[in-house]
């Protein structure tokens, strides 16, 4: 590598680092930012900040050109944003280390997620009330932190106020609606999920306890 090319390569890397820093600094804490940027030092990995998607907080994909892309919802509070970002980085690292035939949220991803997340679990980055819940969650991380009732409820306290409730907070027999306008009547709890009947069709659906809904008065 000649000097001119080496200098151009270094300049390009510095530019990418600056762009990434500027893109993320408004979404995660200043204390977490250096560690995150270090994890993102890959030429073939890009980060996209997207508008709210109701069905996911973020995602990871391998693009047809061989590069990799992570997208995160812009409306997440800084703690949920960081957890989601590390979740997706763990998918990228698990792919690099174990190949494309592993299960999306299998043991390889779980171990990678635990390893990458560990340095962030300190009071300089997360408030004290979240740390015990995070420590418990990362004993066996799930496909979504939303399935961890206690952690999801604690993280919600850092959101902008809204009129929504979690399904597990809805009284029996109460009607509620989803973001898409569909209206349901609250039913009984099964082992983990709640039976809810759609008012219009009479069909029975099972709801995750941490699904956010709006009560119908």
């Amino acid at each position: 590598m000649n000097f001119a090319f080496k200098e151009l390569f270094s300049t390009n890397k510095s530019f990418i680092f600056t762009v990434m820093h500027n893109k993320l600094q408004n979404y995660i804490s200043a204390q977490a930012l250096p560690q995150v940027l270090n994890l993102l030092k890959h030429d073939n990995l890009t980060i996209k900040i997207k508008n709210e998607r109701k069905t996911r907080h973020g995602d990871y994909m391998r693009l047809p050109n061989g590069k990799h892309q992570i997208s995160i919802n812009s409306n997440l509070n800084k703690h949920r944003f960081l957890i989601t970002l590390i979740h997706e980085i763990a998918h990228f690292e698990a792919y690099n280390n174990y190949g494309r035939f592993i299960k999306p949220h299998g043991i390889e991803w779980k171990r990678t997620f635990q390893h990458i997340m560990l340095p962030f679990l300190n009071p300089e980055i997360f408030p004290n009330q979240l740390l015990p819940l995070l420590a418990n969650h990362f004993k066996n991380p799930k496909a979504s932190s939303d399935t961890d009732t206690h952690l999801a409820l604690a993280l919600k306290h850092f959101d902008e106020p809204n009129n929504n409730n979690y399904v597990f907070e809805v009284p029996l027999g109460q009607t509620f609606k989803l973001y898409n306008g569909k209206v349901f009547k609250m039913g009984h709890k099964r082992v983990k999920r709640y039976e809810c009947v759609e008012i219009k069709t009479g069909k029975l659906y099972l709801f995750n306890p941490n699904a956010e809904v709006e009560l119908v008065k």
Side-chain angles (χ1 to χ4, degrees):
M1 184 183 293
N2 63 41
F3 179 77
F5 185 78
K6 196 183 292 186
E7 187 176 66
L8 178 62
F9 179 77
S10 177
T11 301
N12 187 52
K13 293 279 282 187
S14 177
F15 174 75
I16 293 172
F17 184 88
T18 301
V19 169
M20 199 75 75
H21 177 279
N22 293 340
K23 184 180 290 188
L24 293 174
Q25 65 178 345
N26 295 324
Y27 296 100
I28 59 177
S29 68
Q31 292 80 4
L33 189 56
Q35 293 184 60
V36 168
L37 291 174
N38 191 52
L39 291 171
L40 295 175
K41 287 182 178 177
H42 298 278
D43 294 332
N44 61 345
L45 176 63
T46 59
I47 306 293
K48 291 200 170 200
I49 311 296
K50 295 201 170 185
N51 293 332
E52 180 182 8
R53 292 165 292 180
K54 295 292 185 180
T55 58
R56 70 190 71 180
H57 295 313
D59 61 22
Y60 156 79
M61 66 175 67
R62 183 174 182 270
L63 302 175
N65 62 5
K67 293 184 179 295
H68 303 258
Q69 177 182 291
I70 288 171
S71 68
I72 309 291
N73 290 3
S74 62
N75 66 312
L76 305 180
N77 69 58
K78 65 180 181 179
H79 303 307
R80 190 184 291 279
F81 190 101
L82 178 58
I83 294 168
T84 304
L85 179 57
I86 303 302
H87 174 125
E88 305 305 342
I89 292 173
H91 279 301
F92 169 73
E93 294 291 354
Y95 178 95
N96 281 342
N97 293 328
Y98 300 102
R100 62 192 179 100
F101 296 110
I102 60 174
K103 293 181 179 179
H105 296 101
I107 189 64
E108 297 87 357
W109 171 81
K110 288 177 184 282
R111 288 175 177 169
T112 304
F113 194 11
Q114 289 169 327
H115 174 73
I116 295 176
M117 194 69 195
L118 186 59
F120 293 93
L121 298 183
N122 68 73
E124 292 184 355
I125 294 175
F126 287 103
N128 287 327
Q129 65 264 42
L130 287 181
L131 287 173
L133 299 172
L134 288 166
N136 185 65
H137 179 76
F138 279 95
K139 289 178 182 177
N140 184 27
K142 302 295 191 295
S144 171
S145 59
D146 283 348
T147 60
D148 186 331
T149 303
H150 299 294
L151 177 59
L153 189 58
L155 285 169
K156 186 182 179 184
H157 292 156
F158 298 91
D159 289 342
E160 292 293 326
N162 60 41
N163 296 320
N164 292 342
N165 291 80
Y166 284 126
V167 161
F168 75 84
E169 299 174 312
V170 178
L172 182 66
Q174 171 73 49
T175 54
F176 63 86
K177 67 179 179 180
L178 300 182
Y179 65 91
N180 58 13
K182 291 185 177 181
V183 179
F184 296 82
K185 184 176 181 179
M186 186 66 182
H188 292 281
K189 184 181 180 182
R190 291 193 179 181
V191 178
K192 291 184 178 180
R193 294 184 289 177
Y194 288 84
E195 296 179 348
C196 301
V197 176
E198 186 181 4
I199 299 298
K200 185 176 181 179
T201 64
K203 290 182 178 179
L204 180 68
Y205 290 83
L206 294 177
F207 275 74
N208 184 303
N210 290 331
E212 286 197 53
V213 299
E214 182 182 345
L215 299 184
V216 176
K217 298 179 181 179

